[in-house]
Every structure is written in C-alpha cells, then in structure tokens.
Amino acid sequence: HYPEWECYRDVNFYWKYLLCTDLNAFPQVSSYDRSNARIDWSNYDYDRTNRLYDNIILFGFYLSNILDQDKVKATGHRWPSYSLPSLHTYPHQVNTEDDVLHIKNLPSFNNCLNQQDSEALISYLTVPYIRLPLVLCFIATEGRFHSLRNKKLRNIIDSVCFEPGKYLSRDVAIIPEEVPAKDVSCLATPYGFLLNELCHS
C-alpha cells in the first residue's frame, strides 16, 4: 500500500548486500543493464507450513537459494588488506614476528627485496600500531626507495599509510600493562594510524 517505500527498502538491501564479504553471494561477472539491477521480490511457502519466505532475484541471480541455506560466510575480508602479513606468506599464517622467523623462503617481490629485507618488512606488518613509521623508515633508507617499482610494495605502503585501523573512542584511555598486549582493543586510535602518528610522534 506504500509503493514509495520500495526504493528505501531496495537501498537498504543493497547497502547490507554490498557489505557481504563472500563472493559466492554475488552473481557472475557479466554484461548487465540497469533493468537487471531492479530487485524482484516475491514470497513463497518453502516447506508448506504457511510460513512465507522471501524470494529475491537480482541480476538473474536467486539470492534466496544462497541465503536460506547458510552458504554465505559471515566473516572475513572481501578484499584483504595488503598490510596483512599472511597475504604475502601464503600458505604460511603469520601473526607474530616469531612466525616470520620460521618461514624458510620469504617473498622477494619480484626480486626487489632480498630475504633479510623481506623478513624485516613482513615483521613490521605484524605490529599494526607502530608499523607506519617502521615501514616508511625501512623504504626510505639504504636505497630501498627504488623497490617501489613493484606494485605489491606500493600497495603495502598505501595500506599502511591510509587504512585507519580499529577505532577507539577518545573517552577510552587504556594503557597496555604487558608487551605484547593481551587486550588488542587498546591498540587502536580515534582518528586512524596516520593522524595518530602526525599528532603524537
């Protein structure tokens, strides 16, 4: 009875839908026109118990077949950050500097870094709160600036400098009592790592 609310419903759905991190929840890459972006809503009695389920068709893709069967992952990164060390050491999982030391062959980034430099760089990525000055000083010294011809290294610098990281309210003053900190929630900033470094370094 209120057709003017349809656009708000669809905008809200698209907003939540695009936050999904699982590519299985999206249609295949193809050529579409704007009419395909219109969401087709309907209801059906899936289990014949008079309980109505939403049938959602978008870009010719039956979303209800995916959503009803719990096939969509609720966590993870749709586009992982280049500042995550494990992204560069696959299949080895890296969480701390000790994990880096146990990897025999580290990435050379197309021969732009030797093993020693690669070990240092990836070790810096394991400490998000202080990695920004460490990585910038690393690149700016000993002639490593020319290594930025490698796209992956440029992406690492971009992520380290401009990704804000976890949020911490200004009203919360938590000082770590141990190193490494057991509560990583205190290793966050109210305005992002870059502004935090500019204000406090």
Side-chain angles (χ1 to χ4, degrees):
H1 300 287
Y2 299 95
E4 64 273 12
W5 286 101
E6 290 183 7
C7 60
Y8 294 106
R9 175 201 63 192
D10 292 351
V11 167
N12 184 61
F13 176 82
Y14 262 116
W15 171 62
K16 293 186 177 182
Y17 180 51
L18 295 177
L19 289 175
C20 179
T21 60
D22 192 346
L23 294 179
N24 292 324
F26 295 88
Q28 295 294 323
V29 176
S30 183
S31 178
Y32 299 102
D33 57 44
R34 61 181 182 179
S35 64
N36 299 128
R38 181 179 177 84
I39 304 175
D40 183 12
W41 297 85
S42 60
N43 302 110
Y44 67 105
D45 187 0
Y46 179 74
D47 49 10
R48 298 182 180 180
T49 58
N50 295 322
R51 179 183 176 185
L52 294 179
Y53 294 81
D54 286 327
N55 189 28
I56 308 168
I57 303 176
L58 181 65
F59 294 102
F61 186 67
Y62 286 82
L63 291 177
S64 50
N65 292 341
I66 300 295
L67 302 177
D68 289 347
Q69 298 176 24
D70 296 327
K71 293 182 179 180
V72 178
K73 299 176 184 177
T75 61
H77 294 275
R78 188 174 177 187
W79 291 284
S81 168
Y82 276 89
S83 62
L84 295 175
S86 297
L87 186 67
H88 311 288
T89 59
Y90 183 83
H92 304 286
Q93 183 70 23
V94 172
N95 296 311
T96 66
E97 184 179 359
D98 290 339
D99 297 329
V100 180
L101 298 176
H102 288 89
I103 300 176
K104 293 183 178 180
N105 296 310
L106 293 168
S108 65
F109 300 96
N110 199 22
N111 296 322
C112 289
L113 296 179
N114 58 38
Q115 288 292 292
Q116 182 179 356
D117 287 347
S118 181
E119 178 184 314
L121 176 61
I122 294 176
S123 296
Y124 296 154
L125 297 181
T126 64
V127 284
Y129 192 80
I130 60 173
R131 68 186 171 199
L132 197 156
L134 293 175
V135 170
L136 290 183
C137 289
F138 171 82
I139 291 294
T141 56
E142 298 184 17
R144 299 191 188 100
F145 184 79
H146 297 288
S147 64
L148 292 180
R149 66 181 182 273
N150 181 269
K151 185 176 181 180
K152 286 187 177 180
L153 288 174
R154 294 198 304 271
N155 287 335
I156 290 176
I157 298 298
D158 184 78
S159 295
V160 168
C161 290
F162 300 112
E163 290 180 1
K166 294 182 178 180
Y167 172 76
L168 180 68
S169 174
R170 292 182 60 188
D171 300 328
V172 179
I174 304 176
I175 301 176
E177 297 181 355
E178 298 179 2
V179 177
K182 292 184 177 181
D183 183 11
V184 296
S185 63
C186 62
L187 303 178
T189 66
Y191 302 116
F193 291 130
L194 179 59
L195 288 179
N196 187 68
E197 286 295 328
L198 294 175
C199 291
H200 302 293
S201 63

